[in-house]
Coordinates of all heavy atoms in Angstrom, one line a residue:
F4 N 41.4 161.0 89.6 CA 41.3 160.5 88.2 C 41.4 161.7 87.2 O 40.8 162.7 87.5 CB 40.0 159.8 87.9 CG 39.8 158.4 88.6 CD1 38.5 157.9 88.6 CD2 40.9 157.8 89.2 CE1 38.3 156.6 89.3 CE2 40.7 156.5 89.8 CZ 39.4 156.0 89.9
V16 N 35.1 143.7 78.3 CA 35.5 143.9 79.7 C 34.8 142.8 80.5 O 33.6 142.5 80.3 CB 35.1 145.3 80.1 CG1 33.6 145.6 80.1 CG2 35.6 145.6 81.5
A17 N 35.6 142.3 81.4 CA 35.1 141.2 82.3 C 34.6 141.8 83.6 O 35.3 142.6 84.2 CB 36.1 140.1 82.5
S19 N 33.5 141.8 87.6 CA 34.0 141.1 88.8 C 32.9 140.6 89.6 O 31.7 140.8 89.3 CB 34.8 142.1 89.6 OG 35.9 142.6 88.9
M46 N 38.3 142.6 94.2 CA 39.4 143.3 95.0 C 39.1 144.8 95.1 O 39.5 145.6 94.4 CB 40.7 143.0 94.2 CG 41.9 143.5 94.8 SD 42.2 142.7 96.4 CE 43.0 143.9 97.4
V47 N 38.2 145.1 96.1 CA 37.8 146.5 96.3 C 38.0 146.8 97.8 O 38.0 145.9 98.7 CB 36.4 146.7 95.9 CG1 36.2 146.5 94.4 CG2 35.4 145.9 96.6
P70 N 46.1 139.7 92.2 CA 45.1 140.2 93.1 C 44.1 139.1 93.5 O 43.7 138.2 92.7 CB 44.4 141.2 92.2 CG 44.9 141.1 90.8 CD 46.1 140.2 90.8
E240 N 28.3 147.0 88.5 CA 29.5 147.2 87.7 C 29.2 146.9 86.2 O 29.5 147.7 85.3 CB 30.7 146.3 88.1 CG 32.0 146.6 87.4 CD 33.0 145.6 87.5 OE1 32.7 144.4 87.8 OE2 34.2 145.9 87.2
F244 N 29.3 149.6 83.0 CA 30.1 149.5 81.7 C 29.1 149.5 80.5 O 29.5 150.0 79.5 CB 30.9 148.2 81.8 CG 32.2 148.5 82.5 CD1 32.4 148.1 83.8 CD2 33.3 149.1 81.9 CE1 33.6 148.3 84.5 CE2 34.5 149.4 82.5 CZ 34.6 149.0 83.8
I405 N 35.2 155.6 94.9 CA 35.0 154.6 93.8 C 35.8 153.3 94.1 O 35.4 152.2 93.7 CB 35.3 155.2 92.5 CG1 34.4 154.5 91.4 CG2 36.7 155.1 92.1 CD1 34.3 155.3 90.1
D406 N 36.9 153.5 94.8 CA 37.8 152.3 95.1 C 37.1 151.4 96.1 O 37.4 150.2 96.2 CB 39.1 152.8 95.7 CG 40.0 153.5 94.7 OD1 39.8 153.3 93.5 OD2 40.8 154.3 95.1
G408 N 34.2 150.2 95.7 CA 33.3 149.2 95.0 C 33.5 148.9 93.6 O 32.8 148.1 93.0
Y409 N 34.5 149.5 92.9 CA 34.8 149.1 91.5 C 36.2 148.6 91.4 O 37.2 149.3 91.8 CB 34.7 150.4 90.6 CG 33.2 150.7 90.4 CD1 32.5 151.6 91.2 CD2 32.6 150.2 89.3 CE1 31.2 151.9 91.0 CE2 31.2 150.5 89.0 CZ 30.6 151.4 89.9 OH 29.2 151.7 89.6
E410 N 36.4 147.4 91.0 CA 37.7 146.7 90.9 C 38.4 147.3 89.7 O 37.9 147.2 88.6 CB 37.5 145.2 90.8 CG 38.8 144.5 90.8 CD 38.6 143.0 90.8 OE1 38.6 142.4 91.9 OE2 38.5 142.3 89.8
R411 N 39.6 147.8 89.9 CA 40.5 148.2 88.8 C 39.8 149.0 87.7 O 39.9 148.7 86.5 CB 41.2 147.0 88.2 CG 42.1 146.3 89.2 CD 42.9 145.1 88.6 NE 42.0 144.1 87.9 CZ 41.9 144.0 86.6 NH1 42.6 144.7 85.8 NH2 41.1 143.1 86.2
I412 N 39.0 150.0 88.1 CA 38.2 150.7 87.1 C 39.0 151.4 86.0 O 38.6 151.5 84.9 CB 37.1 151.6 87.7 CG1 36.1 152.1 86.7 CG2 37.8 152.8 88.5 CD1 34.9 152.7 87.2
V413 N 40.1 152.0 86.5 CA 41.0 152.7 85.5 C 41.5 151.8 84.5 O 41.4 152.0 83.2 CB 42.1 153.4 86.2 CG1 43.0 154.1 85.2 CG2 41.6 154.4 87.3
E414 N 42.0 150.6 84.9 CA 42.5 149.6 84.0 C 41.4 149.1 83.0 O 41.6 148.9 81.8 CB 43.2 148.4 84.7 CG 44.4 148.8 85.5 CD 44.2 149.5 86.8 OE1 43.0 149.8 87.2 OE2 45.2 149.8 87.5
K415 N 40.3 148.8 83.6 CA 39.2 148.3 82.8 C 38.7 149.3 81.7 O 38.5 148.9 80.5 CB 38.0 147.8 83.6 CG 38.3 146.6 84.4 CD 37.0 146.0 85.1 CE 37.3 144.8 86.0 NZ 36.1 144.2 86.5
L416 N 38.5 150.6 82.1 CA 38.1 151.6 81.1 C 39.2 151.9 80.1 O 38.9 152.0 78.9 CB 37.6 152.8 81.8 CG 36.2 152.7 82.5 CD1 35.9 153.9 83.3 CD2 35.1 152.6 81.4
S417 N 40.4 151.9 80.6 CA 41.6 152.2 79.7 C 41.7 151.1 78.7 O 42.0 151.3 77.5 CB 42.9 152.3 80.4 OG 42.8 153.3 81.4
R425 N 45.1 157.5 86.8 CA 45.0 157.8 88.3 C 46.2 158.6 88.7 O 47.3 158.2 88.3 CB 44.9 156.5 89.1 CG 44.9 156.7 90.6 CD 45.1 155.3 91.3 NE 43.9 154.5 91.2 CZ 42.9 154.4 92.0 NH1 42.9 155.2 93.1 NH2 41.9 153.7 91.8

Side-chain angles (χ1 to χ4, degrees):
F4 289 165
V16 62
S19 303
M46 185 61 213
V47 298
E240 189 198 16
F244 278 98
I405 210 160
D406 293 336
Y409 284 88
E410 182 173 270
R411 298 184 302 109
I412 189 165
V413 177
E414 292 77 359
K415 288 189 183 187
L416 282 170
S417 303
R425 177 189 289 267

